[in-house]
């Protein structure tokens, strides 16, 4: 027996977003748009749907053709105009010379910082700190808007379960709840309440499913059953609508057979009709015309029909709309209503950004980075660092220890910035070497040894060994260059590239303590390296201030508090691997696992237990989602939850945590549940909340969580959220690892 609760996710369209000087309510906004729409010619309407790109490095004079297009009202938005003179000139032409003076909307990818670079989003997610993520977006908005940019293509809230996919670096990881929380923080940081001159439009991307690219190969097909799609992949996007994201981007991928740039069900039925999204949907770069190679359109004309019918309002860079919409209207293949609707949605975003009042940005050169922005970047970077192993308390480093700082990432000012940085400057980066040498607390023997992560020249190994011999401890900074993750940079193995492993091998033969500092856009396979190192620190690509942040963690000026936003695999062959998987009928346990070398010769086919695991590495990941150490252990005790919950009642749970170590620490208490029996099988664990708590030395705190009944819902067989009465498990735990204690509670029938 079960009782169904249909949850009405009332989403209310964003209200009161008019600029102050207009003093407009939503009605006035619509009135303004309708009046304008009436005055616009067909040519001008179609122009609004057109986003033209320029190369981000273009400095030269504007072409007459471009200026004339703006003058004619043939362009709605421009991508990557970074020259102040050009930007001003184009806006002046749009406002003063185009038929209705509709301002251009200037866009750019401002992904994890503009000039001041923050950790890659995956690193930011490891902070589990919404406030930090919000501040990072706010700083990025301030810097970008000072260059005339009013629209960023961020946050990227694609759920990513496969670290082979290079774009996992741009994501907030594998979990829909964490991604939703951080996605909202990011939208808040970029957009604020849209009243400040530096607020810029956010873009929730890539709608949707793009992170499930088959085999982690970028741009590949995605096959996601609807219940999983809604529960996992769409959830952060639904939350982005609620957070007020002004725009969405349709992804490159084909979703269950239909490219999303032509997917009416997704862009119209779900996004607009179910969720009431009234902002703009932009295509991805050429994704409208890419429906031709996908095999979903025979030519640009059909691609234009598919995209406009689906609900793509603005076409990024390709010209299927510009070339065909007018003819399609004449032929009556598409209706004028479709065009008007798309134009309205674009004007709405321009209106909400205050562009009609204030089309011109107050352009200022950024001569150097502001101290305030650098301090925020350092704080976010520090919180992103995850301590993964620390045997015999080898960390923190001791004052006066002689340190051999070795490896290609120890002084890699460009690579530490990570993927998708158009405007960051490597000259402004502070590397680990810079931070270590300026601190003067230790003698540093530095040897980069390899010029970059893929470098295969071992010529400097001897020098590294010589320096390591003089030191008390080796800090080995290895990983991936920035270019090895990001768009179109998928990897077939997650191992360290080049001869970095060999370098570690040679250093380990000295029998000195080794701290492995990883800087990469994804988890790196270290299973076979762990017995050679005493500590492992994941530093991601942590941005401009990566060096000081990592140094502070290594030396204990800051107690590390990062937690993994993804499951860290033991071997590439394990992926995709994620904590919120469903169970098999034969779940493996540590007792049931049989490893390859334990199989007797000529063993009988089914004599070995037949549970779900790999012969080489068993069933567990290297480190689970949510995992991270600090220099102080924390104990969890006295988990309580009422055993019977009445229908509609809130689930109250609490746990005691105590700092057992000698340093103040930050603990991220994570709440997971499992719905034990459901109409569609539910994951073994699902994150439903977390709190970051500061604990002084010896301090104990009781942490309370309140879970409304709607948080017990899942997407049922009719694709609607439902809650079933019955038994649940609840964990309040330091990570998603399997061995934590849990409590049962029973949700009573209605
Ligand atoms: C990427 C998007 C990006 C766009 C504009 C595309 O290649 O997939 O994420 O926003 O380019 O630069």
């Amino acid at each position: 027996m079960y009782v169904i609760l249909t949850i009405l996710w009332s989403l209310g369209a964003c209200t009161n977003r008019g600029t102050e000087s207009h003093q407009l309510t939503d009605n006035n906004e619509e009135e303004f748009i309708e009046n304008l729409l009436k005055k616009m010619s067909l040519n001008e309407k179609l122009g609004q749907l057109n986003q033209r790109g320029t190369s981000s490095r273009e400095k030269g004079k504007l072409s007459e053709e471009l200026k004339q297009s703006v003058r004619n009202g043939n362009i709605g938005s421009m991508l990557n105009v970074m020259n102040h003179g050009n930007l001003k000139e184009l806006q002046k032409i749009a406002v003063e010379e185009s038929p209705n003076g509709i301002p251009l909307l200037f866009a750019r990818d401002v992904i994890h910082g503009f000039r001041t670079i923050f950790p890659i989003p995956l690193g930011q997610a490891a902070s589990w700190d919404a406030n930090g993520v919000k501040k990072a977006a706010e700083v990025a908005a301030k810097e970008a808007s000072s260059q005339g940019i009013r629209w960023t293509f961020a946050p990227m809230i694609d759920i990513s379960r496969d670290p082979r996919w290079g774009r996992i670096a741009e994501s907030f990881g594998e979990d829909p709840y964490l991604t939703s929380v951080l996605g909202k923080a990011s939208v808040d940081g970029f957009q604020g309440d849209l009243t400040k001159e530096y607020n810029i439009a956010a873009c929730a991307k890539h709608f949707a499913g793009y992170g499930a690219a088959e085999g982690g190969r970028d741009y590949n097909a995605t096959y996601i059953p609807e219940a999983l799609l809604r529960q996992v992949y769409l959830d952060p996007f639904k939350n982005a609508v609620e957070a007020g994201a002004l725009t969405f981007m349709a992804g490159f991928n084909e979703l269950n057979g239909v490219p999303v740039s032509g997917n009416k069900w997704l862009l119209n039925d779900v996004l607009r009709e179910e969720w009431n999204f009234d902002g703009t949907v932009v295509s991805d770069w050429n994704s409208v015309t890419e429906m031709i190679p996908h095999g979903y359109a025979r030519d640009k004309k059909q691609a234009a029909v598919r995209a406009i019918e689906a609900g793509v309002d603005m076409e990024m860079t390709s010209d299927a709309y510009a070339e065909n919409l007018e003819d399609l209207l004449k032929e009556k293949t598409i209706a004028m209503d479709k065009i008007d609707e798309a134009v309205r949605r674009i004007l709405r975003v321009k209106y909400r950004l205050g562009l009609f009042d204030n089309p011109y940005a107050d352009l200022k050169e950024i001569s150097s980075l502001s101290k305030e922005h650098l301090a925020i970047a350092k704080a976010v970077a520090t919180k992103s660092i995850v301590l993964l192993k620390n045997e015999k308390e080898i960390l923190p480093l001791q004052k006066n220890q002689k340190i051999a700082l070795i490896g290609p990432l120890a002084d890699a000012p460009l690579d530490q910035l990570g993927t998708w940085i158009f405007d960051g400057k490597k000259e402004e980066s502070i590397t680990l070497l810079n931070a270590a040498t300026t601190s003067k607390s230790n003698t540093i023997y530095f040897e980069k040894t390899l010029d970059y992560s893929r470098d295969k020249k071992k010529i400097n190994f001897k020098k590294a060994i010589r320096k390591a011999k003089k030191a008390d401890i080796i800090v080995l900074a290895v990983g991936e260059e920035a270019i090895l993750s990001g768009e179109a940079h998928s990897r077939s193995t997650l191992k360290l590239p080049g001869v970095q492993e060999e370098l570690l091998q040679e250093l380990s033969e000295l029998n000195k303590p080794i701290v492995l500092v990883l800087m990469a856009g994804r988890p790196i396979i270290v299973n076979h390296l762990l017995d050679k190192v005493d500590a492992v620190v994941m530093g991601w690509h942590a941005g401009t201030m990566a060096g000081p942040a990592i140094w502070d963690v290594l030396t204990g000026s800051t107690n590390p508090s990062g937690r993994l936003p993804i499951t860290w695999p033991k071997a590439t062959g394990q992926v995709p691997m994620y904590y919120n998987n469903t169970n098999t009928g034969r779940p493996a346990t540590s007792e049931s696992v049989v490893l390859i070398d334990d199989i007797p010769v000529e063993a009988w086919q089914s004599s070995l237990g037949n549970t779900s695991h790999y012969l080489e590495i068993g069933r567990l990941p290297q480190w689970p989602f949510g995992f991270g150490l600090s220099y102080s252990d924390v104990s969890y005790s006295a988990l309580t939850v009422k055993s019977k919950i009445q229908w509609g009642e809130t689930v109250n749970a609490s746990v005691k945590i105590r700092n057992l170590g000698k340093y103040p620490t930050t603990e991220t208490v994570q709440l997971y549940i499992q719905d034990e029996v459901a109409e569609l099988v539910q994951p073994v664990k699902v994150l439903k909340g977390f709190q970051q708590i500061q604990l002084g030395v010896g301090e104990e705190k009781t942490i309370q969580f309140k879970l409304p009944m709607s948080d017990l819902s899942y997407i049922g067989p009719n694709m609607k959220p439902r809650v079933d009465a019955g038994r649940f498990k609840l964990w309040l735990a330091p990570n998603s690892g399997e061995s934590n204690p849990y409590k049962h509670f029973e949700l009573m029938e209605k």
Side-chain angles (χ1 to χ4, degrees):
M1 274 292 286
Y2 59 86
V3 187
I4 300 173
L5 173 80
T6 303
I7 295 160
L8 293 172
W9 307 97
S10 61
L11 293 177
C14 334
T15 51
N16 296 325
R17 292 188 180 276
T19 55
E20 274 176 298
S21 59
H22 272 306
Q23 292 290 316
L24 294 173
T25 62
D26 261 6
N27 285 342
N28 291 340
E29 172 185 298
E30 290 310 301
E31 203 179 301
F32 177 87
I33 291 167
E34 290 312 316
N35 284 340
L36 183 53
L37 199 67
K38 275 190 212 131
K39 290 189 259 169
M40 290 166 77
S41 65
L42 175 61
N43 176 58
E44 217 187 347
K45 286 180 182 175
L46 297 180
Q48 287 303 306
L49 316 191
N50 182 13
Q51 182 175 62
R52 268 275 284 267
T54 58
S55 151
S56 50
R57 290 171 197 276
E58 198 169 310
K59 292 255 160 29
K61 272 185 68 183
L62 296 166
S63 71
E64 281 311 314
E65 181 277 324
L66 178 61
K67 289 197 262 185
Q68 196 51 42
S69 298
V70 174
R71 197 169 287 122
N72 294 344
N74 290 339
I75 299 178
S77 168
M78 293 281 309
L79 195 58
N80 297 335
V81 181
M82 294 312 292
N83 174 290
H84 286 185
N86 289 352
L87 193 129
K88 253 192 249 169
E89 192 179 347
L90 288 169
Q91 193 67 307
K92 197 160 182 295
I93 297 173
V95 172
E96 294 180 9
E97 300 176 38
S98 78
N100 278 294
I102 302 173
L104 291 166
L105 176 50
F106 293 101
R108 187 160 177 83
D109 291 279
V110 181
I111 305 298
H112 51 111
F114 182 79
R115 253 293 271 282
T116 309
I117 301 297
F118 289 81
I120 51 170
L122 192 61
Q124 289 187 39
S127 71
W128 292 54
D129 175 21
N131 194 35
V133 169
K134 179 176 169 184
K135 281 192 183 153
E138 196 173 49
V139 168
K142 283 184 179 162
E143 292 183 356
S145 61
S146 76
Q147 306 308 300
I149 303 303
R150 297 303 309 280
W151 184 13
T152 177
F153 301 127
M156 198 263 236
I157 48 177
D158 294 307
I159 294 300
S160 314
R161 293 171 157 184
D162 190 335
R164 291 172 298 180
W165 190 50
R167 301 198 83 168
I168 197 169
E170 293 172 56
S171 81
F172 290 131
E174 75 185 31
D175 183 67
Y177 179 80
L178 183 61
T179 299
S180 295
V181 169
L182 301 183
K184 175 182 181 332
S186 185
V187 170
D188 287 350
F190 286 127
Q191 293 188 175
D193 58 6
L194 292 173
T195 57
K196 312 263 182 350
E197 77 285 358
Y198 60 77
N199 292 150
I200 66 176
C203 181
K205 76 181 188 187
H206 307 81
F207 194 57
Y210 182 39
E214 245 187 2
R217 292 185 294 279
D218 206 4
Y219 313 124
N220 255 261
T222 59
Y223 295 103
I224 313 173
E226 189 177 337
L228 179 68
L229 183 71
R230 285 181 178 274
Q231 193 154 310
V232 173
Y233 291 88
L234 295 190
D235 189 60
F237 287 98
K238 187 156 166 288
N239 282 296
V241 174
E242 290 181 35
L246 287 179
T247 72
F248 265 53
M249 184 187 290
F252 286 126
N253 57 302
E254 164 215 323
L255 175 64
N256 301 330
V258 181
V260 294
S261 299
N263 197 318
K264 188 158 187 264
W265 173 78
L266 189 67
L267 301 182
N268 185 67
D269 304 1
V270 174
L271 178 61
R272 300 240 168 71
E273 289 185 4
E274 264 184 53
W275 300 351
N276 293 329
F277 176 68
D278 66 353
T280 299
V281 173
V282 63
S283 76
D284 203 342
W285 186 285
N286 289 353
S287 69
V288 172
T289 51
E290 285 177 15
M291 286 195 280
I292 303 168
H294 267 298
Y296 194 62
R298 67 184 160 268
D299 52 19
K300 283 195 200 173
K301 195 166 177 182
Q302 194 181 16
V305 178
R306 298 273 207 202
I308 197 82
E309 291 287 349
V312 172
D313 302 317
M314 186 180 275
E315 182 179 6
M316 187 192 288
T317 60
S318 56
D319 51 10
Y321 281 8
E323 283 182 7
N324 297 291
L325 287 182
E326 197 170 341
D327 289 346
L328 287 163
L329 280 165
K330 276 193 204 131
E331 294 163 14
K332 300 205 180 340
T333 309
I334 56 168
M336 194 58 212
D337 283 4
K338 281 272 161 213
I339 307 294
D340 281 345
E341 224 6 80
V343 176
R344 268 189 202 103
R345 294 191 285 241
I346 292 163
L347 295 179
R348 207 172 274 145
V349 169
K350 292 187 175 182
Y351 180 92
R352 288 176 186 174
L353 277 170
L355 274 184
F356 289 102
D357 283 332
N358 259 326
Y360 299 106
D362 185 10
L363 298 169
K364 291 187 198 91
E365 291 298 341
I366 303 176
S367 53
S368 60
L369 298 183
S370 98
K371 281 205 177 112
E372 190 198 342
H373 294 184
L374 286 172
I376 299 172
K378 184 179 169 197
V380 176
T382 309
K383 287 182 178 170
S384 76
I385 293 161
V386 189
L387 178 66
L388 293 167
K389 170 175 171 158
N390 190 21
E391 233 146 69
K392 295 183 230 124
E393 298 191 353
I394 203 77
L395 287 177
L397 299 170
Q398 301 305 307
K399 281 217 167 75
N400 303 322
Q401 262 177 333
K402 285 179 268 166
I403 298 169
L405 179 58
I406 293 173
L409 271 297
D411 191 34
L414 179 68
D415 290 318
Q416 74 181 39
L417 297 181
T419 184
W420 274 118
I421 46 113
F422 285 162
D423 304 283
K425 291 191 187 310
K426 66 173 183 178
E427 296 74 19
E428 288 166 344
S429 290
I430 307 186
T431 68
L432 183 52
L433 174 66
N434 301 149
T437 45
T438 47
S439 97
K440 299 208 163 52
S441 54
N442 297 78
T443 308
I444 306 290
Y445 304 118
F446 170 66
E447 185 56 54
K448 192 166 181 177
T449 325
L450 299 162
D451 284 340
Y452 52 99
S453 70
R454 289 162 296 155
D455 188 359
K456 296 191 185 65
K457 291 188 297 296
K458 296 198 222 164
I459 184 154
N460 292 321
F461 273 30
K462 282 208 179 83
K463 279 195 217 156
I465 302 290
R466 232 178 290 135
K467 290 193 177 158
K469 277 187 179 157
K470 293 198 284 185
D472 303 315
I473 186 164
I474 300 165
V475 173
L476 178 63
V478 291
E480 286 180 336
E481 296 145 73
I483 194 66
L484 298 186
S485 55
E487 185 175 346
H489 291 84
S490 300
R491 294 190 62 202
S492 63
T493 166
L494 303 175
K495 284 190 171 177
L496 286 170
V499 291
Q500 298 180 97
E501 286 191 2
E502 290 168 51
L503 176 60
L504 170 57
Q505 174 58 36
E506 293 202 16
L507 290 170
S508 73
E509 286 161 18
L510 301 177
N511 288 322
K512 301 223 173 197
I514 299 183
V515 177
L516 184 69
V517 175
L518 295 167
M519 297 192 208
R522 51 162 72 81
I524 297 291
I525 299 302
V526 290
N527 193 33
H528 56 304
L529 307 176
L530 283 182
D531 60 348
K532 300 182 192 6
V533 300
D534 302 274
V536 180
V537 173
M538 182 54 173
W540 314 101
H541 291 139
T544 309
M545 296 300 280
I550 295 174
W551 184 247
D552 275 9
V553 164
L554 293 179
T555 53
S557 307
T558 307
N559 200 350
S561 62
R563 299 289 181 264
L564 293 176
I566 30 143
T567 300
W568 192 297
K570 274 185 181 160
T572 312
Q574 271 179 319
V575 301
M577 194 180 208
Y578 44 93
Y579 84 94
N580 49 354
N581 57 284
T582 53
N583 229 343
T584 68
R586 297 180 176 193
T589 62
S590 13
E591 293 75 41
S592 76
V593 167
V594 179
L595 294 178
I596 197 157
D597 294 326
D598 300 332
I599 303 177
V601 178
E602 296 198 353
W604 180 53
Q605 169 65 33
S606 58
S607 62
L608 301 171
N610 290 1
T611 60
S612 176
H613 67 272
Y614 288 102
L615 292 178
E616 293 80 8
I617 39 165
R619 67 193 176 106
L620 296 175
Q622 192 74 63
W623 292 294
F625 170 85
F627 178 81
L629 301 170
S630 98
Y631 296 141
S632 284
D633 285 341
V634 170
S635 68
Y636 280 63
S637 64
L639 169 61
T640 58
V641 57
K642 207 166 104 186
S643 59
K644 293 202 186 321
I645 308 287
Q646 297 307 318
W647 187 260
E649 209 184 335
T650 298
V651 182
N652 292 313
S654 69
V655 71
K656 279 190 181 154
I657 56 171
R658 176 187 279 275
N659 181 353
L660 306 174
K662 13 183 222 255
Y663 306 92
T665 193
T666 304
E667 180 63 9
T668 302
V669 183
Q670 300 162 33
L671 187 155
Y672 297 92
I673 61 161
Q674 181 191 15
D675 185 348
E676 289 192 329
V677 179
E679 296 306 304
L680 288 177
V681 285
Q682 290 305 299
V684 292
K685 237 171 228 189
V686 181
L687 183 72
K688 290 289 177 181
F690 63 87
Q691 289 182 43
Q692 272 191 341
I693 308 295
Q694 316 295 325
L695 288 173
V697 177
E699 194 177 359
E700 181 175 84
K701 283 186 180 162
T702 301
I703 312 303
Q704 316 266 1
F705 282 83
K706 288 187 189 311
L707 211 58
M709 196 181 75
S710 56
D711 278 5
L712 306 180
S713 71
Y714 66 95
I715 300 295
N718 65 355
M719 301 305 133
K720 300 240 178 327
R722 59 183 280 147
V723 178
D724 296 349
R727 205 162 74 141
F728 290 78
K729 272 186 190 146
L730 182 145
W731 293 258
L732 285 176
N735 61 66
S736 69
E738 290 179 37
S739 54
N740 308 307
Y742 58 83
K743 280 268 158 77
H744 276 120
F745 68 87
E746 177 106 13
L747 177 65
M748 307 309 285
E749 301 266 347
K750 206 172 183 175

